[in-house]
Amino acid sequence: MQFIDLAAQYQHLKIKIDKRIQTVLNHGHYIMGPEVQELENELASYVGVKHAITCANGTDALTLAMMVLGIKEGDAVFCPTFTFFATAEVIAFEGATPVFVDSDEATFNICPIDLEKRIQATIAEGKLIPKAIIAVDLFGLPANYPEIQKIADKYNLKLVEDAAQGFGGSIDGKRAGSFGDIATTSFFPAKPLGCYGDGGAVFTNNDEYAELLKSYRVHGKGKDKYDNVRIGINSRLDTIQAAILLEKLAAFPQDLTNRNRAAQKYTEELKDKYKTPVVPVGYVSSWAQYTLVAEDREAEMAKYKSQGIPTMIYYGTCMHQQTAFKALGYQAGDFPVAQRLASSVFSLPMHGYLLVTDKLSKYHV
């Protein structure tokens, strides 16, 4: 049994993907070829925003968002402590300070109540200038954007959606990637929509942001590559990856349906044994991971291993506990919910072909 069965998806789409790749090999435009613009148009249409700008990976997507928003030394950017390192890394990379926020016990996402407390404490301390919030769509479930946006507006903060895991999710029909001032995603192979290498994208309805993003991702170029009007980075999506993503995006709605069916089956069979994932009314998860809470997760993971079922831990060490952020001075107990989750969650296999290739009923899940 595969944790994420990329081979099964490739076999299902093989003829179409191979044809797309061959087209790129034939025209030879490997960097920023026509498939890149085609993909950007399709992504913008799917998400429901004016602009989708692709880049080399999800971390670069967040970095580009920080650059566009002018995040710099002396700024405070609020983000969850229970997430992947890149969310906070890009803040520090710009010289700003990540201010960590505890998790919501039910959804695992950033807690709006604790977020406002951290903003107020930062303002009262007066050492940093609050500038932005990065909310993460953890495990595929969009964060509580209706509440987070109210907080952002109240304190005049920019809101960034980190939809690396949330692509395909939604709140009341509004899709992940369309929340806040700017949103990002990753096309890492294990993501809900993944390519066969690295890739990422930034989404926005702001025309000015879109033009800046297009410049920043190619060395800060102006009218051509020898007219560099600002300091940028080199972060372009390869044309072959764009070609692959075009076919995977076309198949994505069915993949998303399959993921939700698999998640429903998991929940039906496991709800009496574990704390199963919560999907609030009006929300749709893209199920990047199906994550359980257990009192003794090591023992539970061992039981699954004995049946040939792989499991994974996301994320065993909170951001405030990472060596790179020790200088910020957080103490044990500062984020009780996040630390409890970090020591008790584990994830089961999840992909769009789970019910077809693995027949969950034959396992004692």
Side-chain angles (χ1 to χ4, degrees):
M1 188 177 194
Q2 300 294 314
F3 190 79
I4 299 173
D5 198 341
L6 297 174
Q9 185 187 53
Y10 172 62
Q11 288 305 315
H12 181 72
L13 299 174
K14 184 179 189 310
I15 294 175
K16 293 179 178 179
I17 288 177
D18 287 357
K19 183 179 179 180
R20 280 282 190 176
I21 292 173
Q22 188 60 55
T23 298
V24 176
L25 295 175
N26 289 341
H27 67 54
H29 298 292
Y30 300 117
I31 304 295
M32 301 295 286
E35 287 79 4
V36 174
Q37 182 62 59
E38 183 183 355
L39 176 64
E40 291 178 344
N41 293 339
E42 293 296 327
L43 287 170
S45 177
Y46 178 85
V47 170
V49 294
K50 290 176 67 176
H51 306 285
I53 293 89
T54 56
C55 59
N57 55 69
T59 303
D60 278 4
L62 281 169
T63 296
L64 287 164
M66 295 294 97
M67 295 171 73
V68 165
L69 296 178
I71 303 301
K72 61 186 183 304
E73 185 176 357
D75 292 341
V77 179
F78 302 85
C79 70
T81 186
F82 184 54
T83 186
F84 183 60
F85 188 73
T87 306
E89 178 185 31
V90 300
I91 300 167
F93 192 74
E94 298 303 314
T97 301
V99 178
F100 297 119
V101 181
D102 209 354
S103 303
D104 178 272
E105 186 99 47
T107 66
F108 309 153
N109 278 324
I110 190 169
C111 174
I113 295 172
D114 193 58
L115 170 62
E116 185 160 21
K117 289 179 181 178
R118 304 282 173 176
I119 294 170
Q120 291 172 344
T122 301
I123 293 171
E125 187 177 37
K127 294 181 179 179
L128 299 170
I129 301 171
K131 281 292 183 69
I133 301 164
I134 302 179
V136 179
D137 302 340
L138 200 64
F139 304 144
L141 181 70
N144 187 352
Y145 290 105
E147 290 302 314
I148 296 169
Q149 187 65 64
K150 290 178 186 177
I151 294 168
D153 293 342
K154 181 178 178 179
Y155 295 96
N156 195 29
L157 303 177
K158 296 297 185 182
L159 175 56
V160 178
E161 177 189 6
D162 180 350
Q165 295 180 29
F167 188 88
S170 62
I171 303 175
D172 295 329
K174 184 176 170 63
R175 283 187 168 140
S178 65
F179 296 101
D181 297 279
I182 197 165
T184 69
T185 198
S186 168
F187 300 127
F188 183 77
K191 302 302 183 188
L193 179 66
C195 57
Y196 293 156
D198 266 322
V202 188
F203 305 96
T204 186
N205 286 313
N206 186 305
D207 295 340
E208 181 182 351
Y209 289 174
E211 290 307 308
L212 284 171
L213 287 163
K214 291 174 184 177
S215 172
Y216 277 131
R217 72 171 170 180
V218 189
H219 303 288
K221 80 178 185 70
K223 64 180 184 294
D224 60 55
K225 68 179 181 179
Y226 297 118
D227 174 35
N228 298 292
V229 297
R230 55 183 60 87
I231 302 300
I233 59 176
N234 178 22
S235 186
R236 300 165 298 192
L237 182 67
D238 292 345
T239 309
I240 285 178
Q241 300 301 341
I244 292 165
L245 284 165
L246 279 164
E247 291 305 327
K248 295 186 77 171
L249 180 60
F252 187 66
Q254 184 60 54
D255 187 275
L256 189 62
T257 296
N258 294 347
R259 285 172 176 267
N260 274 273
R261 287 174 179 166
Q264 183 179 7
K265 183 170 179 60
Y266 271 143
T267 299
E268 289 171 355
E269 298 193 11
L270 299 173
K271 62 185 178 182
D272 296 329
K273 187 175 181 182
Y274 304 104
K275 180 185 181 298
T276 53
V278 171
V279 180
V281 175
Y283 285 63
V284 172
S285 175
S286 60
W287 299 107
Q289 282 85 36
Y290 186 91
T291 302
L292 300 166
V293 179
E295 291 185 9
D296 186 350
R297 74 174 172 197
E298 299 300 328
E300 297 302 318
M301 291 171 70
K303 292 177 185 177
Y304 284 106
K305 184 178 180 180
S306 70
Q307 298 182 68
I309 302 174
T311 56
M312 293 281 287
I313 295 173
Y314 304 87
Y315 298 94
T317 304
C318 288
M319 210 63 51
H320 70 280
Q321 298 170 308
Q322 301 274 350
T323 301
F325 293 122
K326 280 187 176 179
L328 296 178
Y330 290 105
Q331 303 297 317
D334 284 347
F335 306 91
V337 176
Q339 287 183 220
R340 188 159 59 249
L341 291 173
S343 65
S344 60
V345 300
F346 71 100
S347 301
L348 295 177
M350 176 54 70
H351 54 83
Y353 298 84
L354 192 59
L355 294 177
V356 177
T357 59
D358 292 302
K359 294 183 172 56
L360 287 181
S361 59
K362 74 179 181 177
Y363 297 102
H364 298 293
V365 297

